[in-house]
Structure formats: C-alpha cells, structure tokens
Amino acid sequence: MNKKIYNFSAGPAMLPEAVLKEVKNDFLNWNNIGTSIIEISHRSKEFHKIIVKSKQYLRELLNISDEYAILFCQGGARAQFSAIPMNLLNQFNCADYIDSGYWSYNAMLEAKKYCFPNHITVKKNIDGQTTIIKMKQWPIQSQSDYIHYCPNETIEGIAIYEEPNFHNKVVVGDFSSSLLSRKININKYDLIYASAQKNLGPSGITIVILKKILLKNSYPFTPSILDYKKSFDFDSMFNTPVTFSWYIISLVLKWVKNQGGIDFFENMNYKKSSLLYQTIDNSNFYINTVHPDNRSCMNITFHLRDPNLNHIFLKQSYESGLKFLQGHKVVGGFRASIYNAMPMSGVKKLIEFMKNFEYKFK
Ligand SMILES: *Cc1c(COP(=O)(O)O)cnc(C)c1O
C-alpha cells in the first residue's frame, strides 16, 4: 500500500498538490515583487491580473459568453440562499424550490424569509432506492419568479445529471460541490453559484455566474454586499474581497485547464466514482441505496451493513492514511468526497482498504 495521505473531506477539501506548492513559493515573495500575495491591495495592478485571469479561465473552461457576468462573493453558498430571493424575486413573490436533499431544502428554508417558496420534493424511494423524478415531471408553477435546484447534494451523494429545459423560467443552480466536475451547458441556466471550498479552492469565496439582464431590481432592503448589481458595478470589490482565496482559486483554475479542462475531469471523475460504486455494489458488506442514475461522482456515500463496525472502520482507515471518511451527521455512515484534486491513486487505495476490511470483518 502506498504511504501517501489522502484527504476525503467534503469541504474545505483537498487541493491539488501542485497548487499548494505554488502557494508555498508565492507566500513570501509573490511574482518577485518582494511581498506576500496576502499583503497586497485588492486594488493594486498586481492583484488586478489575478482578477482578470480567474474570470478568463472560468469563461474558457465553462464556455461562458458575454451575456453572463461573473461575480466573486463572500458569505459562502448560504449567503446566496438569501441573495437569490432578494435579487431575483420579481412579480410573483414566489419561487419553485426543488428539494432533492439537505442543501436544496435549506435554500428553500432561507427563501421563506423573503417569499412564499413552492416546496417541490423530487426525491422518491422506489424499491428501496433513492431516485430523483425526471425534470419533465417536476410540478413547476406558472406563477413563480424562478426555479432553484441543486445538481449535487453533497451530504447524501445524490446528483441530478439532466439539464434544465423550462421555457421562459429563470433557472438557478447550486453547483457548490460540482462546478468544473463535468461538462454543463451554461446557457441552460440563468444563474449558477458555487462556494469554492469543495471543488474550486479554499473557503471564503463563492462564484456567481449570472445573466446580465438579471442585474436590475433587487429588493430595497437588500444589503449592499448581497446586491448583484452593486457587486457587478464594483467588479466584485464593493468591500475587500478574500484576496488569498481568490488568488488560490486562480491557480486551481489554471491547473484544471492545464490538466485538460473539464473533459479530462469528467472522464476521470466518472472512472473514479464507478470504481468505488462497483466495490460497494459487489459486496454484501457495504451499501449505497441511491439509484445508479442519481449517484454523485463527487461525494460517494456508503454504510456498513453492520454499523457496530463503524467506529473501527473509521479508526483503521484514518490510521491507513485515508482521512475524514465520516459521513455527515444527518445521514451517518461514510462519505468519500473525491473532487477533481483527488487522484486515482487515492481512490485505489481506499478500495484496497475497503476490500481488506471486508475480508477481515465479514
Ligand atoms: C457546502 C455546500 C453549501 C454551503 O456552503 P457554505 O459555503 O458553507 O455556505 C451549499 N450547497 C451545497 C451544495 C454545498 O455543498
């Protein structure tokens, strides 16, 4: 077994080693300017290059046209749970909230403070498997200002791979744990957002990509830092941004591009997750009850058939260098978060551990 440590944390999560090394070098003397990257002004021409580059990489990687603005916001994805209703509610004071798990449900709870959300549950248990009903069957209201959904439920490991096709509806997607993990057609969305600490960088920044035509009528009580129009007008610097996180995100984006872009990662993520799901499905020892069509390729959740072994599984995996496999407390069990930065070697090491553990304890 290789001795390397692998970090399966759901977020903040593992970053590419190459990026961490670059950060280490830049920390004391960035670009030979004799100061640390974290000591320079967000308004300096040096930092401006990072801002320009990071947007340029995002536009290239995701094929984002000029019709869209890119904002770098603070307060995590949860701040967006508030910003979205405040900025997008319009004539109906109502929005469709698709509930496929913990995060989409929580977005709906927050929106309740500002409007009357239609709570639409799309998660069904069919023959013991969690299945997401097809988008065509989602009971979207005609009198709602937007649809909100989450294509990757980080906690349950549930994914929605279909892309939205709701005529004339503003579609909002929480891509916090899936942006850059696979190809998406950005034009199918009006606004997507992702907090960085899963697949994009360290915590502190949330990327918001939205159609410029949406930059207009926020509610009058909207705090300025949550106002998209203001954020756009100030180039995401109405207040001081988290410069260190922004800089690291720009390095991660460059790394994604250099590895081969989203095509490369989509393929890798499919391979990594398939191997893990096969290991689970081929055993009588581990279980995952999500329907194969809706299994996440970023967060692989599983339980042991004998929960009395949970404690020892966690302890032994940790000691073997497989860190932070504990599932979120609302679902229990285990979760292997295998974002873009997780190499195939980490997944193989986990599989080897799981097979040995099963052999010893079954
Ligand atoms: C982590 C996560 C959030 C919450 O992000 P914060 O930055 O902690 O607010 C919301 N949605 C999804 C899908 C997530 O994975």
Side-chain angles (χ1 to χ4, degrees):
M1 235 190 213
N2 72 51
K3 286 258 168 27
K4 215 176 133 38
I5 305 283
Y6 293 100
N7 169 9
F8 291 91
S9 171
M14 183 173 181
L15 289 170
E17 200 177 327
V19 166
L20 293 178
K21 285 188 172 144
E22 213 173 331
V23 174
K24 192 177 165 202
N25 283 336
D26 288 352
F27 196 71
L28 291 178
N29 182 4
W30 182 66
N31 261 1
N32 273 329
I33 61 170
T35 70
S36 169
I37 178 68
I38 64 168
E39 298 174 307
I40 60 171
S41 166
H42 53 300
R43 305 201 188 282
S44 62
K45 70 175 192 310
E46 287 83 0
F47 195 78
H48 187 70
K49 284 186 208 148
I50 291 175
I51 297 174
V52 171
K53 270 279 171 209
S54 51
K55 287 187 192 168
Q56 195 180 317
Y57 287 137
L58 273 172
R59 287 204 186 269
E60 259 176 65
L61 288 166
L62 287 162
N63 224 338
I64 304 170
S65 76
D66 257 5
E67 212 191 324
Y68 291 81
I70 302 177
L71 308 176
F72 292 80
C73 303
Q74 295 184 48
R78 279 199 188 265
Q80 297 308 311
F81 291 178
S82 314
I84 287 159
M86 284 193 259
N87 285 274
L88 301 191
L89 283 170
N90 198 338
Q91 48 179 330
F92 298 118
N93 206 32
C94 170
D96 294 301
Y97 272 81
I98 307 300
D99 175 357
S100 57
Y102 182 89
W103 287 118
S104 54
Y105 177 70
N106 274 271
M108 189 274 300
L109 289 186
E110 192 66 20
K112 261 192 178 162
K113 294 179 180 170
Y114 312 102
C115 68
F116 300 98
N118 299 317
H119 180 189
I120 301 176
T121 304
V122 296
K123 208 163 60 164
K124 286 253 146 57
N125 189 319
I126 302 176
D127 301 331
Q129 283 191 318
T130 307
T131 306
I132 300 296
I133 61 173
K134 292 276 174 271
M135 281 183 174
K136 273 206 303 281
Q137 291 157 19
W138 291 3
I140 302 299
Q141 310 273 320
S142 59
Q143 307 220 317
S144 68
D145 289 320
Y146 62 90
I147 301 169
H148 177 280
Y149 86 106
C150 176
N152 189 70
E153 287 285 0
T154 322
I155 290 178
E156 296 89 342
I158 296 174
I160 299 170
Y161 292 108
E162 261 187 293
E163 287 205 293
N165 224 339
F166 302 101
H167 300 294
N168 300 323
K169 270 279 173 205
V170 171
V171 176
V172 179
D174 175 359
F175 278 77
S176 291
S177 51
S178 52
L179 196 66
L180 306 186
S181 67
R182 63 187 167 89
K183 286 191 288 281
I184 57 169
N185 179 355
I186 196 88
N187 300 313
K188 300 257 182 199
Y189 304 87
D190 297 275
L191 186 155
I192 66 178
Y193 63 103
S195 53
Q197 72 273 17
K198 278 54 184 263
N199 205 25
L200 309 169
S203 58
I205 290 203
T206 303
I207 291 174
V208 178
I209 302 163
L210 80 166
K211 282 208 175 130
K212 286 178 184 161
I213 50 164
L214 295 174
L215 297 167
K216 40 176 198 227
N217 31 353
S218 62
Y219 269 26
F221 56 74
T222 306
S224 297
I225 57 156
L226 296 183
D227 186 316
Y228 293 143
K229 175 80 167 64
K230 190 146 251 162
S231 192
F232 178 74
D233 290 344
F234 281 78
D235 206 9
S236 301
M237 293 188 290
F238 178 67
N239 73 324
T240 313
V242 190
T243 52
F244 194 41
S245 295
W246 199 334
Y247 145 78
I248 296 177
I249 288 168
S250 76
L251 297 183
V252 172
L253 294 173
K254 182 177 73 179
W255 175 82
V256 169
K257 179 177 139 87
N258 290 342
Q259 295 289 305
I262 297 187
D263 282 330
F264 172 82
F265 284 103
E266 177 167 88
N267 184 27
M268 270 300 279
N269 291 329
Y270 177 75
K271 283 188 184 147
K272 289 186 297 183
S273 57
S274 300
L275 283 177
L276 265 171
Y277 285 122
Q278 272 163 28
T279 306
I280 295 165
D281 290 344
N282 292 340
S283 81
N284 295 317
F285 192 79
Y286 303 104
I287 9 172
N288 170 295
T289 52
V290 181
H291 189 281
D293 290 350
N294 297 113
R295 283 175 165 179
S296 168
C297 59
M298 296 273 94
N299 310 97
I300 286 75
T301 53
F302 59 94
H303 283 79
L304 303 184
R305 278 196 198 274
D306 178 2
N308 291 321
L309 294 171
N310 282 358
H311 172 73
I312 180 154
F313 182 93
L314 198 63
K315 182 166 181 288
Q316 293 197 356
S317 57
Y318 194 91
E319 285 165 359
S320 310
L322 302 159
K323 311 272 184 188
F324 310 122
L325 282 163
Q326 186 150 30
H328 191 279
K329 59 185 185 300
V330 306
V331 292
F334 300 92
R335 170 174 54 175
S337 294
I338 52 168
Y339 302 114
N340 290 353
M342 175 61 68
M344 180 59 103
S345 56
V347 170
K348 290 204 164 140
K349 182 165 168 168
L350 173 59
I351 289 171
E352 191 185 334
F353 173 83
M354 287 169 74
K355 286 184 172 161
N356 285 334
F357 190 87
E358 177 177 1
Y359 183 75
K360 269 190 282 180
F361 287 97
K362 99 175 148 192

